[in-house]
Amino acid sequence: MKKEHFPREIQPHLIPSPQGSYVYECLGCGARHGIEKLLYTCPACKSVLLILDEDWDRLKAMGGDLWRKIFDHRSMLTQPGLRGIYRFHELIGSIIPLESVVYLGEGHTPLVGANERLAKWAGRPFYFKNDGQNPSASFKDRGMASAFSYLNHLIRDHGMKEVLAICASTGDTSAAAALYASYFVEGVTSAVLLPQGKVTPQQLGQPLGSGARVLEIPGVFDDCMKVVEHLSENYPVALMNSKNAWRILGQESYSYEIAQMFDYDVSRLMVAVPIGNAGNITAVLQGFLKLLDLDIIEALPQVLGVQSEHANPVYLYYMEPDPQKRRFEPVHVRASTAQAAMIGNPVSMPRVMSLVEKYRHLGGEEAVQVVQVSEQEIMDSMILANRNGHIACTQGGECLAGFRKAVSEGSVGPQVVGVVDATAHALKFSIFQEKYFNNAFEPEFEVVPRDEYRNAPEVIDTPGHVPSPGGGRRLESGEFQVFVDHAAREVARILGLVKG
Ligand SMILES: *Cc1c(COP(=O)(O)O)cnc(C)c1O
Ligand SMILES: [Zn+2]
């Protein structure tokens, strides 16, 4: 739609120009640092950072009603810079000119309602939000679009040169980083560090396909993370992990899209997300807090963090009801099918602590909950979801299992509707489905497939006297008819079909 066809009051705001005053804010000592340089931890105290718009209050003058109209109408524009997550430009990177936005098709992922059978099983109606329908097939693209758009801005407008983008990954971060880096014609190359043998073949294939240097490190993700942190402190590289606060900004778009999909009435929602390095839950909390602050929503939704029993440091931390007595302890992770969240020492833990406190202050103690689920529950939930029309990965299964658990434990009000994050596409994690169907889980996973959920292909045999095209030989037409008759009869027999 053309600009002149939009309502007059929003025309001046449709196409945003760079604005705002951004700084890194340290969550440890409160110091603020300029954003001209890439910074991942506070130079003064080494704590993690978040990005703050010091001129934020200007946005409050607009009023929630106008903001809602602007965001809704922007979806009818065709500018590439506004097609993805930057529809919410003022909230997630307003200093970045639209010309620097790197858009590869991220964001605006579908919200798909659970059918009656699955909703009944979960105990409440709910939706999956399919973030596996992002370009590299996980939600990580939201944060990468933000981090790479900012890099592009530094390159185009501030003379930054020859950036090596580097990250440690449980698989999806590297797929996303390599994809966005590969779009640059010059100025950016990428290298990714993966825990050897701890990512799926699909996730390994993605950065290779995007042309990134792929380095496999013995150990688990937490070990890789230490190596890239060392690199980012001692070499000129751009760290693309969620320690990079620009990633968090982009991932906030997940909350904005949910609000928009529910016409900004989110008060009865419970938004469930898996927790690994805790960047995602940080962004989701921060996103809804910003919407509330600008009166774009009237009340906060509940947020449910979900962890596996095999990688549960955040769950253990919030188990302790008395905030004074809580002590964060990293855990040693065990084998998890929710491999993308198999992290024992989440980098964003200080962000989570700070935001959960704020969120509970405004939304009540129940506004943020954390549950843990077993590996068995993760797999059963994923398999069952996908037998009911979804495309959930194992982390999506984890999330659904967590929502069902919260419902069964009575901590979910009767009116609540769930929004469950399918953080990646099922195909990325198909090896776990395969292990389930073939009853091939190594004992450390502690998963035993349920017979009624198993599935396997059935082969149509041809006995010796029936000609078969399977051998590579071209059949004569008469032979071929014999084969077709036989195969059709076999298929009909197996499926219990009766001639009509
Ligand atoms: C990264 C990832 C997670 C975990 O998100 P964090 O931000 O690390 O907590 C969950 N699911 C998938 C598919 C992921 O790629
Ligand atoms: Zn500090």
Side-chain angles (χ1 to χ4, degrees):
M1 189 154 124
K2 297 217 168 59
K3 198 175 159 186
E4 57 271 24
H5 299 145
F6 285 88
R8 197 167 295 275
E9 76 268 26
I10 61 168
Q11 282 187 17
H13 308 290
L14 270 177
I15 317 279
S17 330
Q19 51 171 293
S21 171
Y22 280 38
V23 291
Y24 293 111
E25 184 181 37
C26 171
L27 294 184
C29 71
R32 293 179 182 187
H33 307 283
I35 55 162
E36 329 64 67
K37 275 208 317 194
L38 290 170
L39 216 54
Y40 314 107
T41 50
C42 174
C45 78
K46 298 284 169 216
S47 293
V48 283
L49 310 165
L50 278 175
I51 291 168
L52 176 79
D53 185 349
E54 289 186 311
D55 197 16
W56 173 259
D57 284 350
R58 80 186 183 284
L59 303 176
K60 290 188 182 174
M62 300 268 280
D65 200 41
L66 189 52
W67 279 124
R68 290 189 287 267
K69 279 192 191 142
I70 292 169
F71 294 145
D72 288 349
H73 281 88
R74 273 188 191 155
S75 62
M76 287 182 270
L77 288 167
T78 53
Q79 267 84 348
L82 291 171
R83 271 188 228 149
I85 61 171
Y86 286 99
R87 181 188 302 174
F88 308 101
H89 187 255
E90 290 85 349
L91 312 189
I92 61 174
S94 60
I95 54 142
I96 300 175
L98 293 183
E99 302 74 55
S100 293
V101 165
V102 182
Y103 171 68
L104 298 186
E106 62 284 344
H108 308 303
T109 53
L111 193 67
V112 180
N115 64 17
E116 255 171 66
R117 183 171 43 205
L118 194 61
K120 190 161 170 239
W121 181 82
R124 286 287 183 290
F126 75 94
Y127 298 80
F128 266 114
K129 187 159 166 65
N130 284 341
D131 255 28
Q133 286 177 257
N134 277 299
S136 80
S138 86
F139 78 81
K140 297 292 199 301
D141 295 324
R142 296 176 181 278
M144 287 305 168
S146 167
F148 278 90
S149 294
Y150 182 59
L151 267 189
N152 199 24
H153 170 52
L154 290 178
I155 291 167
R156 289 167 57 108
D157 304 319
H158 295 278
M160 194 186 223
K161 286 196 181 68
E162 302 305 324
V163 185
L164 176 64
I166 192 164
C167 66
S169 178
T170 54
D172 295 330
T173 301
S174 64
L179 177 67
Y180 282 80
S182 73
Y183 192 68
F184 282 73
V185 175
E186 55 183 2
V188 178
T189 51
S190 67
V192 305
L193 273 64
L194 299 171
Q196 195 176 13
K198 299 279 188 320
V199 306
T200 72
Q202 292 73 22
Q203 290 171 318
L204 179 61
Q206 285 186 294
L208 288 172
S210 295
R213 298 292 293 269
V214 177
L215 305 159
E216 295 189 302
I217 306 270
V220 294
F221 170 82
D222 293 299
D223 307 311
C224 290
M225 192 65 215
K226 288 283 177 258
V227 177
V228 289
E229 281 177 348
H230 185 88
L231 287 166
S232 71
E233 280 158 23
N234 294 285
Y235 297 87
V237 294
L239 180 67
M240 290 318 215
N241 282 94
S242 52
K243 203 163 191 180
N244 179 335
W246 293 94
R247 285 267 315 274
I248 304 295
L249 277 186
Q251 287 170 200
E252 288 170 18
S253 60
Y254 185 78
S255 298
Y256 306 151
E257 289 175 19
I258 289 174
Q260 193 164 39
M261 287 291 235
F262 286 91
D263 283 328
Y264 305 97
D265 179 7
V266 293
S267 58
R268 288 191 327 199
L269 297 184
M270 175 176 262
V271 176
V273 292
I275 306 179
N277 223 2
N280 199 22
I281 192 167
T282 296
V284 166
L285 292 169
Q286 170 112 308
F288 286 120
L289 285 171
K290 282 187 180 174
L291 292 180
L292 185 71
D293 199 44
L294 296 180
D295 283 331
I296 296 171
I297 57 174
E298 278 172 15
L300 294 169
Q302 288 181 295
V303 172
L304 176 71
V306 187
Q307 294 209 293
S308 160
E309 286 170 358
H310 287 188
N312 59 356
V314 183
Y315 169 77
L316 293 176
Y317 178 79
Y318 285 107
M319 274 276 281
E320 168 56 57
D322 181 355
Q324 302 302 319
K325 289 200 201 137
R326 282 181 200 139
R327 292 282 172 274
F328 180 73
E329 290 282 351
V331 303
H332 279 285
V333 293
R334 291 182 283 151
S336 175
T337 57
Q339 202 168 47
M342 200 178 115
I343 295 173
N345 190 12
V347 159
S348 284
M349 195 61 203
R351 293 167 169 161
V352 173
M353 292 173 188
S354 152
L355 287 167
V356 166
E357 200 184 316
K358 267 190 213 163
Y359 208 95
R360 284 182 167 168
H361 176 71
L362 291 166
E365 205 48 30
E366 299 279 286
V368 186
Q369 302 176 27
V370 183
V371 294
Q372 70 170 357
V373 293
S374 69
E375 290 294 317
Q376 183 73 45
E377 290 168 317
I378 293 173
M379 283 309 302
D380 289 343
S381 303
M382 180 193 86
I383 300 279
L384 186 64
N386 295 350
R387 291 174 73 98
N388 283 278
H390 300 283
I391 47 171
C393 62
T394 44
Q395 295 68 221
E398 176 181 31
C399 235
L400 172 54
F403 180 62
R404 182 170 186 250
K405 176 148 290 179
V407 171
S408 75
E409 285 174 352
S411 56
V412 181
Q415 301 300 316
V416 167
V417 172
V419 177
V420 172
D421 197 345
T423 45
H425 199 290
L427 289 176
K428 277 196 166 200
F429 293 85
S430 55
I431 58 157
F432 293 111
Q433 174 183 293
E434 220 171 282
K435 283 182 199 282
Y436 194 97
F437 288 163
N438 298 331
N439 194 8
F441 275 107
E442 292 80 357
E444 58 267 29
F445 282 102
E446 300 173 334
V447 177
V448 180
R450 299 168 70 104
D451 276 337
E452 68 270 31
Y453 291 172
R454 284 175 70 179
N455 206 355
E458 297 166 63
V459 178
I460 303 299
D461 273 330
T462 43
H465 65 275
V466 176
S468 162
R473 185 169 70 85
R474 226 186 120 87
L475 302 183
E476 302 302 325
S477 69
E479 284 181 317
F480 189 62
Q481 200 50 53
V482 175
F483 162 75
V484 169
D485 289 348
H486 165 79
R489 240 186 347 262
E490 273 299 288
V491 171
R493 183 186 62 76
I494 291 170
L495 299 179
L497 302 177
V498 185
K499 262 194 181 152

